[in-house]
Amino acid sequence: MQVRAEARSVSLHWEDGQRNRFHYVWLRDNCRCDQCRHWQVGDRLLDSTQVPLDIRPQRVELKAPSLLEIAWPPDGHVSQFDVGWLLAHRPGQAVTVGQGLRRTTWDGAFADRIPELTHERVTSNDSELLGWLRVLHEYGVSLIRHVPCRLGEVGRVAETIGCIRSSHYGTIFDVESKPKPNALAYTAHGLLPHTDLPYRELQPRLQLLHCLLFEAQGGDSQLVDGFHAAERLREAHSASFDLLASTAVTFRQLEEGADLSIEAPMIGLDDDGRVDEIRFSNAKLQPFDVPEDQVISLYQAYFQFAELLRDPAHIIRLRLEPGDLLVFDNSRVLHGRTAYDPQSGARHLQGCYVDSDDLLSRIRVLERAAPPLSPDSSKLSTL
Amino acid sequence: MQVRAEARSVSLHWEDGQRNRFHYVWLRDNCRCDQCRHWQVGDRLLDSTQVPLDIRPQRVELKAPSLLEIAWPPDGHVSQFDVGWLLAHRPGQAVTVGQGLRRTTWDGAFADRIPELTHERVTSNDSELLGWLRVLHEYGVSLIRHVPCRLGEVGRVAETIGCIRSSHYGTIFDVESKPKPNALAYTAHGLLPHTDLPYRELQPRLQLLHCLLFEAQGGDSQLVDGFHAAERLREAHSASFDLLASTAVTFRQLEEGADLSIEAPMIGLDDDGRVDEIRFSNAKLQPFDVPEDQVISLYQAYFQFAELLRDPAHIIRLRLEPGDLLVFDNSRVLHGRTAYDPQSGARHLQGCYVDSDDLLSRIRVLERAAPPLSPDSSKLSTL
């Protein structure tokens, strides 16, 4: 490697012929020493704004094949940079946190391959936990069997991932038929496939549902991969896809103690145009508020998307048994249920939510002690 | 008012000469009857997709000056619409939830007028609570005095607004100098003005900080209105403003049990280009990852914004006393503190977070029993 100090930056010429410029202000700002960063916390202690935009080093030196040392004015402060760290942080080409994770969409045929694990396995060690979380991230669904039928157990499983996201339904909510329901879930009604809390600014990502008691007739669960359905919509009716991805609709929760609402599109895209979030709830959707000449096309797009989401070829049906804990990506996988007869027996689930960034954080922390993800390592067969 | 039934919609001609078209599919979908909406929950029970896009009514009739009645095929199902409801929900012109709330920015001269209330007053009745929350929304800061110095009291105040947002620091966090800190806040270091948890997908909106004990020397608090500083930046250096509003930077929290990170701009704008969110933390900011030729201009924009945020003319300084509870909009008002000497005495704050939509929800719920906001009603003098 060759090092060349220039007016405002140092150029590194790598073995492969590539060249990168690291500006002095950037280098001084990102000094890794204990004076500039807190040795325990890792936070920057250096006040970046004290670095002159046009700072020029007193000395630039390759101390060893992989160690660049720079001395700075006014006091000769020394920064040492590992060359590998510089390579990973090349401006405009940095390695993004969390690369390597992927998503794989599915349809109804996935019913036979829905990732199943035992509670004992998931809670036995960090390696099993990591395997489970990678699969959960990739497919957006998994089923844990033989979870002890104790109240609050769902929260203990959630906390192996991250902190529980509270809502006006509480930290852990009880899904059962209630005398004064504030949600259809708390009745015996059937529920069309939907996402939970679409009316929150941040729709919770992971939902955990633990079946404690289920003697009632009916009440079968349905799951559908909203990302898969959205991609089918994009293929079949691209104008409808674009409309749903660009039109903000209102979801609202209105009850005695709450009035939560948000305007957001039903299909959320990331910066690269990939489907990243679904908000879908026929129950919570407010009257469309679009110009008169768009009303029919918005309904048409909505109905086309709904038809794909309810296509039997896309849906997984299952009946939860006591001890089953269903975990799914609530911003991707819609869930529903058939109506049940509360006179025929009890049905009691407990649930809670965990945010997306907590899931990614746990995966990264567990990966520190684990081999990186190989192309095959998230295969279902490894479960 | 005149009613005219057309092929796909009914036209209403209002007294003022305006005309609105309500499509039949929209009207059938938004039927308010107990069969189509759950009488307790308010959720839509009607499966919208069962409404034909080209549905035509059997009968359209103005039953009273303010009651439109429509009968639908195939079974003569009757929908009744209050004309005032239709007026409020005109497609493309609907009344938005939460209209009437505004924001007023401030600079350092606001120090004398920072909204102060007693704990007794805030907790005495719903009307006082509503007044406080409106002021908090408008100015993004308030100070509650004489809060009992009990552990956990901050959580009780938070729960008068909404549910507490947990993080990896817990539900209620203790701000004091700790032997194994995982944040600079838990040392005696000074803290440059910053927003908390900028590395979370949803940065928490409201932060509550309750001073329980403060005998140490130093540790004065600083507050600055980031929306005000951002607008000054837009005026003085519009290219820098645009750069910070359009360039995603990475904030990251890396510690033993967590690795949380997000890419987001420092200045977030709403759909109308208004400043809506500030993410700012010199400590948590990761190395800039932009093309080489943008490094200097990004640093320049960052330093210009930081200079405005630290301008003494923009900053409020105050020293919390035991019993003080500072509440502020963490996505708008940056907070900092001077260093303190832990040998000179103890300093113990407790804090927690509440999300923005919980605040708005509480305001709307309290407004049901209160007169609507008049142009003057949020004036500080009313406190």
Side-chain angles (χ1 to χ4, degrees):
Chain A
M1 195 188 64
Q2 283 189 308
V3 176
R4 200 170 68 198
E6 295 161 348
R8 303 189 90 175
S9 60
V10 59
S11 273
L12 301 190
H13 294 244
W14 310 101
E15 303 292 328
D16 63 2
Q18 291 221 51
R19 188 187 66 83
N20 288 109
R21 288 166 64 210
F22 294 86
H23 285 84
Y24 295 130
V25 60
W26 186 96
L27 288 163
R28 179 66 192 89
D29 183 37
N30 290 304
C31 177
R32 318 309 292 161
C33 84
D34 283 355
Q35 229 179 309
C36 294
R37 302 208 152 244
H38 194 278
W39 66 281
Q40 283 171 305
V41 176
D43 285 5
R44 185 186 283 103
L45 292 174
L46 173 71
D47 177 359
S48 305
T49 66
Q50 299 308 304
V51 181
L53 267 183
D54 59 356
I55 190 170
R56 292 193 67 162
Q58 297 167 340
R59 176 171 57 83
V60 176
E61 195 176 348
L62 199 62
K63 292 286 278 191
S66 69
L67 190 71
L68 184 71
E69 190 175 281
I70 307 182
W72 303 104
D75 56 356
H77 182 93
V78 170
S79 301
Q80 292 190 323
F81 297 97
D82 179 85
V83 167
W85 186 90
L86 288 174
L87 190 62
H89 289 83
R90 287 175 292 175
Q93 303 163 67
V95 177
T96 306
V97 178
Q99 276 183 347
L101 289 172
R102 64 182 168 201
R103 286 187 170 127
T104 304
T105 56
W106 45 262
D107 61 16
F110 192 61
D112 300 334
R113 293 180 293 130
I114 184 168
E116 279 190 29
L117 304 88
T118 62
H119 181 254
E120 190 186 355
R121 187 162 172 185
V122 167
T123 56
S124 63
N125 65 56
D126 282 355
S127 165
E128 295 285 350
L129 179 59
L130 176 58
W132 171 47
L133 296 182
R134 282 173 170 166
V135 164
L136 183 57
H137 181 275
E138 176 166 0
Y139 298 95
V141 63
S142 68
L143 188 58
I144 307 179
R145 303 280 199 186
H146 310 306
V147 179
C149 287
R150 283 191 296 256
L151 289 172
E153 193 64 34
V154 67
R156 280 182 280 277
V157 174
E159 283 171 347
T160 65
I161 309 174
C163 60
I164 299 175
R165 167 90 178 276
S166 296
S167 76
H168 69 293
Y169 294 124
T171 303
I172 293 176
F173 50 86
D174 290 273
V175 184
E176 53 190 335
S177 184
K178 298 177 186 180
K180 285 184 68 178
N182 60 348
L184 280 187
Y186 302 158
T187 67
H189 279 278
L191 300 175
L192 291 167
H194 64 283
T195 60
D196 269 16
L197 276 55
Y199 46 78
R200 296 297 311 229
E201 186 173 0
L202 182 67
Q203 189 175 245
R205 197 92 209 186
L206 287 187
Q207 177 163 180
L208 295 86
L209 279 177
H210 182 200
C211 180
L212 293 166
L213 192 62
F214 196 171
E215 293 161 354
Q217 283 166 14
D220 289 358
S221 298
Q222 300 163 345
L223 296 168
V224 59
D225 187 346
F227 287 9
H228 178 78
E231 290 302 343
R232 294 297 78 72
L233 182 69
R234 172 143 53 184
E235 287 168 10
H237 309 285
S238 67
S240 293
F241 177 92
D242 292 343
L243 196 61
L244 293 185
S246 62
T247 306
V249 296
T250 303
F251 296 97
R252 188 172 183 184
Q253 172 69 14
L254 196 57
E255 59 180 79
E256 191 179 341
D259 183 353
L260 291 153
S261 75
I262 191 85
E263 291 169 43
M266 289 191 220
I267 298 176
L269 305 180
D270 68 15
D271 289 343
D272 299 319
R274 282 179 302 229
V275 177
D276 192 42
E277 179 181 66
I278 305 291
R279 290 183 189 248
F280 197 95
S281 170
N282 188 70
K284 307 291 183 192
L285 196 55
Q286 298 303 298
F288 286 147
D289 175 26
V290 293
E292 289 176 4
D293 58 357
Q294 293 173 25
V295 172
I296 295 291
S297 40
L298 183 56
Y299 266 107
Q300 186 174 42
Y302 174 45
F303 289 178
Q304 285 166 342
F305 190 31
E307 190 180 345
L308 287 163
L309 288 167
R310 299 184 197 164
D311 184 337
H314 293 161
I315 289 182
I316 292 178
R317 285 160 215 283
L318 69 164
R319 185 181 166 91
L320 294 177
E321 300 289 336
D324 287 354
L325 198 161
L326 187 64
V327 190
F328 55 93
D329 180 341
N330 178 62
S331 291
R332 168 180 168 182
V333 175
L334 287 71
H335 65 294
R337 69 156 188 245
T338 58
Y340 66 93
D341 175 7
Q343 305 304 322
S344 65
R347 184 182 190 269
H348 184 195
L349 313 182
Q350 278 200 318
C352 64
Y353 305 111
V354 174
D355 281 334
S356 171
D357 43 11
D358 272 314
L359 170 64
L360 292 173
S361 171
R362 181 66 76 217
I363 289 176
R364 290 176 200 135
V365 168
L366 293 170
E367 280 180 344
R368 290 177 196 159
L373 197 63
S374 77
D376 289 331
S377 62
S378 79
K379 282 239 178 93
L380 292 179
S381 58
T382 63
L383 295 173
Chain B
M1 195 188 66
Q2 283 189 307
V3 176
R4 198 169 70 200
E6 295 161 348
R8 301 187 93 175
S9 59
V10 60
S11 273
L12 300 191
H13 293 244
W14 309 100
E15 302 294 329
D16 64 1
Q18 291 220 52
R19 188 187 65 82
N20 288 110
R21 286 167 64 210
F22 295 87
H23 285 83
Y24 295 130
V25 59
W26 187 97
L27 288 163
R28 179 66 193 88
D29 183 36
N30 289 303
C31 177
R32 319 309 290 161
C33 84
D34 282 356
Q35 226 179 311
C36 294
R37 302 209 150 243
H38 193 278
W39 65 281
Q40 282 172 306
V41 176
D43 286 5
R44 183 185 284 101
L45 293 173
L46 173 72
D47 177 359
S48 305
T49 65
Q50 298 308 304
V51 182
L53 268 183
D54 58 356
I55 190 170
R56 291 193 68 162
Q58 296 169 339
R59 174 171 59 84
V60 177
E61 193 176 351
L62 199 62
K63 292 285 278 191
S66 69
L67 190 70
L68 184 71
E69 190 174 282
I70 307 182
W72 303 102
D75 56 357
H77 182 92
V78 170
S79 301
Q80 291 189 324
F81 296 97
D82 178 84
V83 166
W85 185 91
L86 289 173
L87 191 62
H89 289 83
R90 287 176 291 175
Q93 303 162 67
V95 177
T96 305
V97 178
Q99 273 183 350
L101 289 171
R102 62 182 171 202
R103 286 188 169 127
T104 305
T105 57
W106 46 262
D107 61 16
F110 191 62
D112 301 333
R113 291 180 293 132
I114 183 168
E116 279 190 30
L117 303 89
T118 62
H119 182 255
E120 190 186 355
R121 186 160 171 185
V122 167
T123 55
S124 63
N125 64 57
D126 282 354
S127 165
E128 295 285 351
L129 179 60
L130 175 59
W132 170 48
L133 296 182
R134 281 174 171 165
V135 164
L136 184 58
H137 182 273
E138 177 165 359
Y139 297 96
V141 63
S142 67
L143 188 58
I144 307 180
R145 303 281 199 186
H146 311 305
V147 179
C149 287
R150 283 191 296 257
L151 289 172
E153 193 64 34
V154 68
R156 279 182 282 276
V157 174
E159 284 172 346
T160 64
I161 309 175
C163 60
I164 299 175
R165 168 88 177 276
S166 296
S167 76
H168 67 294
Y169 295 124
T171 303
I172 292 178
F173 50 86
D174 290 273
V175 184
E176 54 189 336
S177 184
K178 299 178 185 180
K180 285 185 68 179
N182 61 348
L184 281 186
Y186 303 156
T187 68
H189 279 279
L191 300 175
L192 292 167
H194 64 283
T195 59
D196 269 16
L197 276 56
Y199 44 78
R200 295 297 311 231
E201 186 174 359
L202 181 67
Q203 189 175 245
R205 196 92 210 188
L206 287 187
Q207 178 164 177
L208 295 85
L209 280 176
H210 182 200
C211 180
L212 293 166
L213 193 62
F214 196 172
E215 292 159 354
Q217 285 167 12
D220 290 357
S221 298
Q222 300 163 346
L223 296 169
V224 59
D225 186 347
F227 287 8
H228 178 77
E231 290 302 343
R232 297 294 77 73
L233 182 70
R234 172 144 49 183
E235 286 168 11
H237 309 286
S238 66
S240 292
F241 177 92
D242 292 342
L243 197 60
L244 294 185
S246 62
T247 306
V249 296
T250 302
F251 296 97
R252 188 172 182 185
Q253 171 70 12
L254 196 56
E255 58 180 77
E256 192 179 340
D259 184 352
L260 291 153
S261 75
I262 191 85
E263 292 169 43
M266 290 191 219
I267 298 176
L269 305 180
D270 68 15
D271 290 341
D272 298 320
R274 283 178 301 228
V275 177
D276 190 44
E277 179 181 66
I278 305 292
R279 291 182 188 250
F280 197 95
S281 170
N282 188 69
K284 306 292 184 192
L285 196 56
Q286 298 303 297
F288 287 147
D289 175 27
V290 294
E292 289 175 5
D293 58 358
Q294 293 173 25
V295 173
I296 296 291
S297 40
L298 183 56
Y299 266 107
Q300 185 173 43
Y302 174 44
F303 289 178
Q304 286 165 341
F305 190 31
E307 192 180 343
L308 287 163
L309 288 167
R310 298 184 197 164
D311 185 336
H314 292 162
I315 290 181
I316 292 178
R317 283 160 217 285
L318 70 163
R319 186 181 164 90
L320 295 177
E321 301 289 337
D324 288 353
L325 198 162
L326 187 64
V327 191
F328 55 94
D329 179 341
N330 178 63
S331 291
R332 166 180 169 181
V333 175
L334 287 70
H335 65 294
R337 68 157 188 243
T338 58
Y340 66 93
D341 176 7
Q343 304 304 320
S344 64
R347 183 181 192 269
H348 184 196
L349 313 183
Q350 278 200 319
C352 65
Y353 305 111
V354 174
D355 281 333
S356 171
D357 44 10
D358 271 314
L359 169 63
L360 292 173
S361 171
R362 182 66 76 218
I363 289 176
R364 288 176 203 135
V365 168
L366 293 170
E367 280 180 344
R368 290 177 197 160
L373 195 63
S374 78
D376 290 330
S377 62
S378 79
K379 282 243 178 90
L380 293 179
S381 57
T382 64
L383 294 173

